[in-house]
Structures are given as structure tokens and as C-alpha cells.
Amino acid sequence: MKNKFKIKEIEVLTEEEEEKVIEVAYAKYSNGKRIYTNGAAIPIMLDTGVRMGEMIALEWDRVDFNNKKIIISKNAVLARNRKNNGDITEGQSLIIQNSTKTKNGIREWPYPERSESFNKKSGSGFWLKRKIIFSIQTYGRFD
């Protein structure tokens, strides 16, 4: 019996490639301002394997600074806007779900030491006043 599923080989970044990606994620303009405001999400995603939707839904109350871990328990999805009758309208809405994509998705990870998000912002009152850690303007982009 033939296997009806295609087996896809998973491509993994080399350490060199990973470091280049992180270097770009933390790139700055000549005035010192970050080019990618949410570049700190990249090492977290690389080190933990969290999905983009889980990263977008990550909130400060899910970061345990004492034990240096993050708790993944929510997911963000993009849904088409609809009228009351179910017809699709223009635009999309970002919805934060109180669950992850799979039932085993709720998990804890040690947060990466190389993530500036937790090393530098953790003491900043401004960042802690925000509920979410990584803001987005359009789903799928972290800038």
C-alpha cells in the first residue's frame, strides 16, 4: 500500500544562518533606533519554536521573570470580517484565542537570554504597562 501523505523534509537553519537572522532582527538605524521594533521576537521564536500567532498573543502576565520562563497559552488568528448574515466584507480582524492551536500547545519555555525583549525591557515601566509584548500593525509582519 502506497503512503498517501507526502513526507516533507524539514529545513533547519545552521548556527551561522541563525546568527545572521538575529543580527538583522536587532539592526539599528544610524540614530540608534531599531529598524524592526519587534525584532526581539525572532530569537524567542528560533529558540522555542513558538508559532507566530502564539508570539503575537504573548502577554506580560505570561512571563515569569523570577523563574525566567514564558508560558504559551494563547493564539492569535486573522479572520475575515463578516456581516451578521455571514457574508464576507472587506478587511480582517485579529482575534486572540484563549487557547493554543493544539491541545498540547500550552507549554512553558525558558526564555532566551539573547532576547533583548526580556533582558532590557523587563525593568521598563513603559513596556510593562502594555498588555501584549509584541505589537503588530498587520498580521504576519513584525515591524
Side-chain angles (χ1 to χ4, degrees), residues 50-94:
V50 299
R51 295 176 176 93
M52 186 182 302
E54 295 168 335
M55 191 86 266
I56 292 167
L58 185 61
E59 299 174 347
W60 283 116
D61 67 352
R62 306 279 60 194
V63 179
D64 181 344
F65 290 107
N66 294 327
N67 296 307
K68 294 187 175 187
K69 63 183 177 181
I70 58 174
I71 299 139
I72 304 299
S73 62
K74 295 182 179 185
N75 189 41
V77 295
L78 192 63
R80 291 182 178 169
N81 292 337
R82 295 182 182 270
K83 295 180 183 176
N84 287 339
N85 66 3
D87 290 346
I88 296 173
T89 63
E90 283 192 39
Q92 299 172 325
S93 297
L94 182 70

Side-chain angles (χ1 to χ4, degrees), residues 8-26:
K8 187 176 178 181
E9 190 173 321
I10 298 173
E11 292 184 41
V12 179
L13 295 176
T14 65
E15 285 184 36
E16 272 184 11
E17 291 170 328
E18 205 173 282
E19 289 306 318
K20 286 179 185 176
V21 169
I22 291 171
E23 184 179 327
V24 170
Y26 288 138

Side-chain angles (χ1 to χ4, degrees), residues 8 13 28 42 48 50 70 83 85 103-104 108 110 134:
K8 187 176 178 181
L13 295 176
K28 295 180 180 179
I42 300 302
T48 64
V50 299
I70 58 174
K83 295 180 183 176
N85 66 3
K103 74 175 188 173
N104 294 326
E108 295 179 0
F134 301 105

Side-chain angles (χ1 to χ4, degrees), residues 79-139:
R80 291 182 178 169
N81 292 337
R82 295 182 182 270
K83 295 180 183 176
N84 287 339
N85 66 3
D87 290 346
I88 296 173
T89 63
E90 283 192 39
Q92 299 172 325
S93 297
L94 182 70
I95 299 169
I96 304 295
Q97 301 173 321
N98 287 322
S99 63
T100 55
K101 189 174 177 180
T102 63
K103 74 175 188 173
N104 294 326
I106 297 175
R107 58 210 184 275
E108 295 179 0
W109 290 97
Y111 61 74
E113 291 298 324
R114 63 185 178 178
S115 173
E116 290 180 12
S117 182
F118 301 121
N119 294 334
K120 291 187 178 174
K121 294 179 187 173
S122 61
S124 169
F126 169 77
W127 289 103
L128 291 175
K129 287 178 187 172
R130 293 175 36 185
K131 185 175 182 178
I132 60 168
I133 297 173
F134 301 105
S135 63
I136 60 163
Q137 293 172 344
T138 58
Y139 187 80

